[in-house]
Amino acid sequence: MENTVGPGRAGLLETQRRAHELIERLQEQIAKESQKPARKHIGRLAQQHRILRMMNRIQQLSAFLLETYADASGARKKEVASISNAGNSSDFSEFYNRLKDIKDYHRKHPEEKIEILELEVAKVNEDQEFDDIENMFSGEEARGRFLDLNIPFETYVNLKNVKRINYLAYINVFDKFDEESYGVSAKIRKTVAYKQYLVQLVQYLEGFCKRALPLLDVELIRDSAAIETEQWARTQTDEFDRSSDSSLYCKPCCKLFSSKQVFDHHLPGKKHQKALAEDTASRQGDVEKDKQQSAQLQLLKEIKFNESFVRSLAQNLAAIREDTRDLVERKQTLSADEIEKAKALYDEQDFGEEEEEHFSAEEEEEEENTEIYNPLKLPMGWDGKPIPYWLYKLHGLGVEYPCEICGNFIYMGRKAFDRHFQEWRHAHGMRCLGIPNTKHFQEITRIQDAYALHEKLTSAKKAAAFKAEAMEEFEDAEGNVFNKKTFEGLFARTRLFFKVTIFLIQFLQI
């Protein structure tokens, strides 16, 4: 900690006292800042960054105090002994020495200004804070209002064998890592390129959270993701150990078989013989395979951690993500001039002067009772006014789409209707029906149709299941092919015929 305790020879005890005072002043200032309302977006963001700086300062001071109270060097104990005079109350030499240092300091610096901690802590340079926040974000992020996922999106679409989606769809699914919605197969999710994409996405989301949500504890989220990843890694390791000890696991081929029959059948194969020869020729092959398996497990562990971290960060960015999605949708219908006007509106909201207007009681009552003229009952736009009628017709917002599964909820417009199949209300309705909410049930809104389709899919799945009696084939000595049921029946009758024949022969001989 820097020596700012005052003039002269500042002792360790005085430094500790000043640190305690500074901590209390910072805590009081944090309480005042928390109670002070900020109307503008940039004002709220600057206030949160200010509180974060004070909290970091408190942590630094607390660490300094813990270190000095531990007194590893014995300096504090020595200073306490020097001012206590070791029981000699008539010895004031230490007192006069310190008084002399203070007088000498003020004699050399007669115009020294006295630092008042309360004023020093409360001092705020808003212009500098606003400039710093302006430089933190890109133009697309609009000072922390929206996400700018263009770079991660470009990396995603350049991955091999991924589902091609647009930027708006990517905003909806960048934290959903199942193959059905994300479009990335399990094979691709085990590659180094996919890991590099996740690292890039994590770096952006983590940096954005620190800039737009400075009071969010990102390290706590990271630790939670690391714990979840360690639990998953232990599960994978235990499962691999169990499979390695299994009698159905072939070590030369590094493969676990489903049954004893399949395991025995693969032993004479060329692949197994080749792998067995390589394994016998050199034991170094085992070491290399172990290294490859360890490297693959480490890669999967890092991917799992990044996926879990992205999911947790996305949960905390839900509101900003929703605003970003709405912005991208609006941009698809706005012209370049309208987009520039929207950006100018954000600048005015952040940096425009707040004019104090004085109204009489009658004017205020008239203002409250004034309603926006909207005879067609058009939905409101981003500026608080009804959207144009041509835009209303273009998006089909006047068409009603009821959904019986959602409790007969009515969705206005095709976009809202298509989007609701992935939202919580429809998923909850499907869960209540006991039906999985998969892509097969897209566009299904009636409960009866959902049950019928579910029954049909279940029947098709059962019909496609493997039936040994009808599908397994057996061949007799003459080359005749039978299914399992017929072959076993003929075999049983043949055995019975031979038994009866042998019994008759023995009976006749007697």
Side-chain angles (χ1 to χ4, degrees):
M1 177 184 172
E2 57 188 64
N3 190 0
T4 59
V5 295
R9 185 177 61 183
L12 181 60
L13 294 179
E14 175 62 19
T15 307
Q16 289 179 332
R17 185 206 64 77
R18 187 177 175 87
H20 280 293
E21 181 184 359
L22 188 54
I23 288 176
E24 292 181 1
R25 297 288 186 188
L26 289 170
Q27 290 174 345
E28 292 177 0
Q29 188 62 26
I30 289 175
K32 291 179 181 179
E33 289 286 348
S34 302
Q35 295 173 359
K36 187 190 305 181
R39 296 183 180 180
K40 300 178 180 178
H41 170 78
I42 193 170
R44 289 192 297 270
L45 197 56
Q47 186 183 63
Q48 292 177 3
H49 279 280
R50 199 179 307 132
I51 292 174
L52 178 65
R53 286 195 296 272
M54 289 188 284
M55 292 173 63
N56 292 336
R57 182 62 174 157
I58 290 175
Q59 290 182 348
Q60 294 176 0
L61 293 169
S62 301
F64 166 76
L65 289 173
L66 287 173
E67 182 181 355
T68 53
Y69 279 124
D71 199 18
S73 62
R76 186 175 185 276
K77 184 177 180 181
K78 183 178 180 181
E79 186 173 347
V80 172
S82 66
I83 63 176
S84 64
N85 297 323
N88 186 4
S89 60
S90 61
D91 186 6
F92 291 96
S93 59
E94 181 67 21
F95 170 77
Y96 287 114
N97 288 335
R98 297 194 178 200
L99 180 60
K100 181 178 179 297
D101 290 339
I102 295 174
K103 288 182 178 180
D104 292 340
Y105 180 85
H106 282 290
R107 192 179 299 112
K108 293 178 182 178
H109 306 86
E111 297 181 356
E112 180 78 15
K113 292 183 179 180
I114 300 176
E115 295 181 2
I116 302 176
L117 283 180
E118 185 176 3
L119 298 179
E120 187 69 21
V121 169
K123 184 170 61 176
V124 176
N125 187 355
E126 288 190 354
D127 294 336
Q128 183 62 39
E129 288 181 344
F130 289 173
D131 291 341
D132 293 340
I133 291 175
E134 185 73 20
N135 296 328
M136 282 182 187
F137 300 96
S138 65
E140 189 74 18
E141 292 171 338
R143 304 179 195 91
R145 286 184 174 89
F146 310 109
L147 293 170
D148 184 8
L149 296 171
N150 286 286
I151 295 178
F153 171 68
E154 290 179 0
T155 307
Y156 166 80
V157 296
N158 287 321
L159 292 174
K160 294 182 179 180
N161 300 324
V162 298
K163 183 171 64 174
R164 301 302 173 186
I165 57 177
N166 57 19
Y167 183 58
L168 180 60
Y170 177 76
I171 295 174
N172 293 325
V173 301
F174 73 84
D175 63 330
K176 298 179 177 64
F177 298 104
D178 55 294
E179 183 176 350
E180 182 177 348
S181 58
Y182 201 49
V184 180
S185 62
K187 184 178 180 181
I188 300 298
R189 288 174 62 191
K190 297 178 182 179
T191 59
V192 178
Y194 180 73
K195 175 202 161 186
Q196 294 174 350
Y197 154 72
L198 284 179
V199 170
Q200 186 183 57
L201 180 60
V202 164
Q203 289 176 350
Y204 173 76
L205 293 178
E206 184 177 4
F208 184 84
C209 285
K210 291 180 179 179
R211 290 179 285 127
L213 303 173
L215 299 182
L216 179 65
D217 194 347
V218 178
E219 294 302 323
L220 180 63
I221 298 175
R222 177 184 288 274
D223 295 340
S224 177
I227 293 173
E228 182 181 346
T229 305
E230 289 297 331
Q231 294 175 351
W232 174 84
R234 283 197 296 269
T235 304
Q236 295 295 315
T237 304
D238 295 342
E239 183 176 331
F240 175 76
D241 293 340
R242 286 195 302 268
S243 64
S244 300
D245 297 336
S246 175
S247 59
L248 302 178
Y249 180 77
C250 180
K251 191 173 182 181
C253 298
C254 297
K255 187 175 181 181
L256 181 66
F257 293 89
S258 58
S259 64
K260 180 67 174 174
Q261 182 180 2
V262 180
F263 176 81
D264 294 338
H265 185 267
H266 102 285
L267 293 177
K270 293 181 180 180
K271 290 184 179 180
H272 175 76
Q273 295 298 328
K274 184 178 179 181
L276 185 61
E278 293 176 356
D279 184 66
T280 306
S282 174
R283 294 185 179 180
Q284 188 67 22
D286 289 342
V287 178
E288 294 297 330
K289 288 180 181 179
D290 292 340
K291 289 182 179 179
Q292 292 177 0
Q293 292 173 355
S294 178
Q296 182 68 16
L297 182 60
Q298 182 64 25
L299 176 63
L300 295 177
K301 185 177 177 181
E302 294 176 4
I303 291 174
K304 183 68 176 178
F305 166 76
N306 288 323
E307 290 180 347
S308 178
F309 198 19
V310 167
R311 275 193 295 265
S312 301
L313 292 175
Q315 290 176 359
N316 292 277
L317 294 171
I320 299 177
R321 180 181 182 179
E322 184 69 25
D323 294 340
T324 306
R325 183 166 52 242
D326 294 340
L327 176 68
V328 175
E329 287 182 347
R330 289 202 305 268
K331 279 186 175 182
Q332 295 176 354
T333 58
L334 297 179
S335 63
D337 294 338
E338 290 173 330
I339 293 175
E340 290 300 325
K341 288 180 181 178
K343 291 182 179 179
L345 180 63
Y346 295 139
D347 294 338
E348 185 179 353
Q349 290 175 355
D350 286 341
F351 301 109
E353 295 182 359
E354 297 180 0
E355 299 180 358
E356 295 184 0
E357 300 180 356
H358 301 281
F359 299 97
S360 63
E362 295 180 357
E363 290 177 343
E364 289 182 356
E365 185 177 356
E366 183 180 354
E367 182 70 20
E368 291 178 358
N369 296 331
T370 302
E371 296 182 359
I372 298 176
Y373 182 68
N374 188 10
L376 298 178
K377 297 182 180 180
L378 301 175
M380 297 298 173
W382 57 272
D383 56 353
K385 298 179 181 180
I387 64 174
Y389 184 70
W390 65 267
L391 186 62
Y392 176 80
K393 296 293 289 183
L394 176 65
H395 291 286
L397 299 179
V399 181
E400 296 182 353
Y401 292 90
C403 181
E404 186 180 359
I405 297 176
C406 298
N408 292 321
F409 190 87
I410 297 176
Y411 296 92
M412 303 301 295
R414 184 70 190 183
K415 281 189 176 180
F417 176 72
D418 292 339
R419 190 169 57 241
H420 99 280
F421 288 102
Q422 284 76 39
E423 292 177 349
W424 66 270
R425 183 182 284 107
H426 192 83
H428 177 70
M430 295 291 286
R431 196 180 304 114
C432 292
L433 297 177
I435 301 174
N437 189 21
T438 60
K439 62 181 180 181
H440 302 94
F441 295 90
Q442 194 82 7
E443 304 290 337
I444 301 297
T445 59
R446 297 178 63 238
I447 296 177
Q448 184 178 357
D449 295 343
Y451 275 127
L453 180 57
H454 180 60
E455 185 178 353
K456 182 178 179 181
L457 291 175
T458 305
S459 302
K461 188 176 180 180
K462 290 181 179 179
F466 180 78
K467 297 180 180 179
E469 294 184 355
M471 296 183 180
E472 284 190 10
E473 295 182 346
F474 293 83
E475 185 178 355
D476 60 6
E478 298 178 358
N480 298 318
V481 178
F482 306 94
N483 59 27
K484 183 178 180 180
K485 184 177 181 181
T486 305
F487 181 81
E488 289 179 350
L490 292 174
F491 182 73
R493 280 183 283 178
T494 304
R495 289 184 60 189
L496 179 62
F497 173 76
F498 279 111
K499 286 183 179 180
V500 171
T501 304
I502 294 172
F503 175 76
L504 291 175
I505 293 173
Q506 293 176 352
F507 180 75
L508 293 174
Q509 288 178 353
I510 295 174

